[in-house]
Amino acid sequence: MAITLTNPPGLPETGVYGQVSVATGSKLVFVAGQVAWDGDGVTVGEGDLAAQVEQCYVNVATALAGVGATFDDVAKLNVHVVDWTPDKMPLLLEGISRASARLGTTPTPPATLLGVAALDIPEHMVEVEATAVID
């Protein structure tokens, strides 16, 4: 495995992600922002943030698998949520939890959560992009 996650002393442990990842692999993998489309380009979970987060994470896993990687190889995630407010955190975490159960993994690399005004189409509420490192 090319990624080691850590929470250095002096930084809080969030339980949701590691504060730092150390990459030792030789190939960088950049996954474009994944939205809540299924394989046919149909939006999943219109109006349901948790369902869209779940689908985004599943799409990231699918993209990673396509190049021989998994969430264990992810060094960094960026999550963009339309009209983000802190009260949406339980729905975000629910979506991540559902994706984790579906994928049999817990994606906990360092992550940045960004509130945005809009995404590619009005039906999309969230977009997740990943950077991974593989040998």
Side-chain angles (χ1 to χ4, degrees), residues 31-39 44 50-66 69-71 74 77 94-105 107 126-130:
V31 178
Q34 297 298 303
V35 293
W37 276 327
D38 65 13
V44 172
Q52 289 204 8
V53 168
E54 177 183 4
Q55 186 64 43
C56 290
Y57 273 73
V58 167
N59 289 350
V60 168
T62 300
L64 291 168
T70 70
F71 265 105
V74 174
L77 289 171
E94 178 186 335
I96 294 169
S97 177
R98 287 170 25 186
S100 296
R102 202 165 144 189
L103 298 168
T105 186
V126 63
E127 183 171 319
V128 180
E129 63 179 296

Side-chain angles (χ1 to χ4, degrees), residues 29-120:
V29 178
F30 299 95
V31 178
Q34 297 298 303
V35 293
W37 276 327
D38 65 13
D40 295 320
V42 175
T43 298
V44 172
E46 190 170 336
D48 182 342
L49 181 61
Q52 289 204 8
V53 168
E54 177 183 4
Q55 186 64 43
C56 290
Y57 273 73
V58 167
N59 289 350
V60 168
T62 300
L64 291 168
V67 296
T70 70
F71 265 105
D72 289 339
D73 301 306
V74 174
K76 180 76 168 66
L77 289 171
N78 288 321
V79 180
H80 305 85
V81 181
V82 174
D83 297 326
W84 174 257
T85 54
D87 63 308
K88 294 180 181 177
M89 184 62 81
L91 293 172
L92 179 79
L93 296 177
E94 178 186 335
I96 294 169
S97 177
R98 287 170 25 186
S100 296
R102 202 165 144 189
L103 298 168
T105 186
T106 302
T108 57
T112 298
L113 173 61
L114 301 165
V116 297
L119 292 170
D120 58 330

